[in-house]
Amino acid sequence: MTKARLLRLSVVLVSIFMILLIIVYWDNVGTAHFYLHTSFSRPHSPGAIAGITADEDWEALPDADDFLAKLLSSSLKQNSSIPRKTEQLLVQGSGKPVVSNLEENVRGYDWSTHNGRNSLDQEKLQIERQRMLREFCANSSFTFPTKERSFDDIPNYELNHLIVDDRHGIIYCYVPKVACTNWKRVMIVLSESLLDQGVPYRNPLDIPREHVHNTSTHLTFNKFWRRYGKFSRHLMKIKLKKYTKFLFVRDPFVRLISAFRSKFELENEEFYRRFAIPMLKLYSNHTNLPTSVSEAFGAGLKVSFSDFIQYLLDPRTEKMAPFNEHWRQVYRLCHPCQIDYDFIGKLETLDEDAAYLLQLLKVDRLLRFPPSYRNRTASSWEDNWFAKIPLAWRQQLYKLYEADFVLFGYPKPENLLKD
């Protein structure tokens, strides 16, 4: 009897283990379709993409990672025999987003066409951007907060900007004020994470803005713990190894100006209550402020750019809470020294970079990148915006964002940092 009971117990335990294994497998693989047909998806053929390292370091993965990697790899082999959905060339919609004149004035849309660089130039550009990033990450004499920590040391809540598309094997780290609205739209179309009357969106411009920035729309790394529990970090590492990882960046000071304009020059109830009221009280000595942004704007009570800079430099600011994502440094949003990005795009070359990236991802027949905002907040405006900012503040501000300047190859704005 004892042997029979032990046998039954063994069968039950093995069954439970297999059920859990199937759940993990299906949740991560079966529903994701795993169409990894991107140019960067590992394993790469030798010399396929210059500047992208091969996966010779897979052997260094821990046992659990190795097990999961084999599990995921087996699914890739199975899916390779499954025909892909018929690709449809999606013609970019002619309808333009409906925006107010004020928003058009502040944001600016560019509906013109642009001539892109050729592929060879783009490839060389990517090699140089990645080389510079890796060199400074490896340079021990160049330091900034969090540089030396490992990926495992990054808190889960700091991984909320890494959007995952399992259908095409893509990870996008979004940076606010760097065309992230449209890149999120692209990720929604590719991942089919949002439906319109039961049908996935096909045209990025059809997706309403309020849905684009709804966190429930996207699968991000910080959600993995709830889904995969103790396997979450293992799965993140595997996806980081196998998927194409990209981000887009922008001149740090220009990004700050853009953030100020869109959040404090336009009526924004949330930003008025959370940020403008404290700034006006602390740095402009205002009291008894209106409770609504419309009343404040009507009374001429607006945050000045000087108020905003003081807020960023005030040591008390981050003792209360981390910087809002719209002005948080890119190295804190995307962890470029912990994550080896395959593609680094820049807003200054957005049209060329976007077209080249979609081509490399082999999704350029599925969609086109939406018309970009015209760069109304141009780098040439920096002198005007910072003209009334004291030199000492400008120098402190540069130190605060120096890592973003250096890592992504933006020149030091010497004209703003000297008398």
Side-chain angles (χ1 to χ4, degrees):
M1 288 294 292
T2 303
K3 289 184 178 180
R5 287 179 179 176
L6 287 174
L7 182 60
R8 285 198 296 270
L9 181 61
S10 299
V11 171
V12 170
L13 290 175
V14 170
S15 300
I16 292 173
F17 175 76
M18 291 302 296
I19 290 170
L20 290 174
L21 190 61
I22 290 170
I23 291 172
V24 171
Y25 171 85
W26 182 252
D27 193 20
N28 188 65
V29 179
T31 60
H33 306 298
F34 265 79
Y35 291 132
L36 298 187
H37 300 299
T38 69
S39 299
F40 294 138
S41 298
R42 295 170 173 79
H44 298 298
S45 58
I49 299 290
I52 306 298
T53 58
D55 57 335
E56 64 273 4
D57 55 345
W58 270 80
E59 301 302 323
L61 285 173
D63 291 342
D65 287 354
D66 188 51
F67 167 74
L68 291 169
K70 290 177 181 177
L71 182 64
L72 298 182
S73 296
S74 67
S75 78
L76 293 178
K77 293 177 182 177
Q78 294 171 10
N79 281 333
S80 65
S81 62
I82 300 174
R84 294 185 66 182
K85 293 181 179 179
T86 304
E87 292 186 352
Q88 297 178 345
L89 178 59
L90 300 177
V91 180
Q92 183 176 295
S94 59
K96 303 178 183 180
V98 178
V99 293
S100 66
N101 291 334
L102 180 57
E103 183 175 0
E104 167 68 18
N105 185 50
V106 172
R107 297 184 187 277
Y109 287 92
D110 185 2
W111 300 98
S112 60
T113 57
H114 301 267
N115 294 321
R117 291 187 178 90
N118 62 49
S119 297
L120 184 60
D121 288 343
Q122 279 286 348
E123 186 176 331
K124 290 179 179 177
L125 191 61
Q126 282 304 311
I127 292 173
E128 177 58 25
R129 288 175 182 175
Q130 292 174 53
R131 181 197 64 78
M132 179 175 294
L133 176 59
R134 289 166 184 160
E135 281 187 3
F136 280 108
C137 285
N139 188 341
S140 58
S141 63
F142 177 65
T143 61
F144 56 87
T146 73
K147 179 190 175 186
E148 301 302 327
R149 68 181 178 181
S150 68
F151 179 76
D152 286 330
D153 294 329
I154 302 174
N156 200 52
Y157 64 85
E158 289 187 17
L159 299 172
N160 62 331
H161 279 241
L162 292 157
I163 299 176
V164 182
D165 167 25
D166 282 322
R167 297 188 70 252
H168 300 86
I170 302 170
I171 296 174
Y172 163 52
C173 184
Y174 72 90
V175 178
K177 308 314 303 175
V178 191
C180 77
T181 299
N182 281 337
W183 276 117
K184 284 182 179 180
R185 284 185 168 118
V186 168
M187 294 296 284
I188 289 170
V189 170
L190 293 177
S191 64
E192 298 186 355
S193 61
L194 190 64
L195 304 180
D196 180 24
Q197 297 181 349
V199 179
Y201 281 98
R202 297 300 183 190
N203 183 353
L205 282 178
D206 289 341
I207 305 171
R209 189 180 183 88
E210 60 269 21
H211 295 332
V212 173
H213 295 296
N214 188 327
T215 56
S216 65
T217 302
H218 307 280
L219 172 61
T220 49
F221 265 7
N222 66 309
K223 296 178 181 178
F224 274 39
W225 177 254
R226 294 196 300 273
R227 181 176 289 196
Y228 305 115
K230 65 180 182 179
F231 291 115
S232 59
R233 286 284 165 155
H234 300 312
L235 287 170
M236 288 180 203
K237 290 177 183 177
I238 291 169
K239 291 177 191 290
L240 287 171
K241 288 282 184 182
K242 300 175 78 67
Y243 287 13
T244 304
K245 305 164 294 295
F246 77 94
L247 79 165
F248 272 73
V249 296
R250 185 180 194 176
D251 179 288
F253 278 4
V254 179
R255 178 172 168 245
L256 285 181
I257 296 170
S258 178
F260 172 79
R261 298 181 70 204
S262 69
K263 300 306 175 186
F264 300 113
E265 287 193 344
L266 295 174
E267 291 189 11
N268 186 309
E269 201 67 51
E270 178 191 359
F271 277 77
Y272 173 72
R273 292 182 178 178
R274 287 182 59 194
F275 303 106
I277 288 178
M279 288 184 205
L280 290 168
K281 288 181 177 179
L282 284 171
Y283 313 118
S284 293
N285 297 318
H286 286 294
T287 57
N288 299 321
L289 290 164
T291 56
S292 72
V293 66
S294 58
E295 290 180 78
F297 274 42
L301 295 171
K302 293 184 179 181
V303 169
S304 69
F305 190 58
S306 177
D307 294 336
F308 180 54
I309 299 302
Q310 287 184 80
Y311 168 81
L312 296 175
L313 299 177
D314 193 332
R316 296 171 293 180
T317 297
E318 289 216 87
K319 289 181 180 178
M320 298 293 292
F323 276 174
N324 179 268
E325 63 178 2
H326 291 85
W327 45 83
R328 195 180 309 164
Q329 298 91 329
V330 176
Y331 77 83
R332 295 171 61 186
L333 295 172
C334 296
H335 321 288
C337 289
Q338 289 76 31
I339 296 173
D340 189 16
Y341 285 94
D342 301 302
F343 190 96
I344 302 167
K346 293 190 174 184
L347 190 73
E348 293 81 3
T349 52
L350 174 62
D351 298 284
E352 299 92 334
D353 290 354
Y356 183 58
L357 175 59
L358 294 178
Q359 184 181 20
L360 289 175
L361 294 172
K362 298 188 185 300
V363 297
D364 51 318
R365 286 190 59 80
L366 294 176
L367 52 77
R368 299 179 188 176
F369 188 74
S372 59
Y373 294 137
R374 184 161 49 253
N375 195 3
R376 292 277 183 102
T377 310
S379 57
S380 58
W381 288 20
E382 285 182 332
D383 289 344
N384 293 332
W385 279 90
F386 285 95
K388 296 182 180 180
I389 305 300
L391 176 61
W393 293 7
R394 285 179 255 157
Q395 293 170 339
Q396 291 177 55
L397 191 68
Y398 175 76
K399 292 302 295 182
L400 195 60
Y401 289 88
E402 182 179 26
D404 284 356
F405 276 98
V406 174
L407 292 173
F408 299 108
Y410 286 100
K412 187 175 181 179
E414 299 286 359
N415 58 313
L416 299 178
L417 305 177
K418 295 179 181 178
D419 280 327

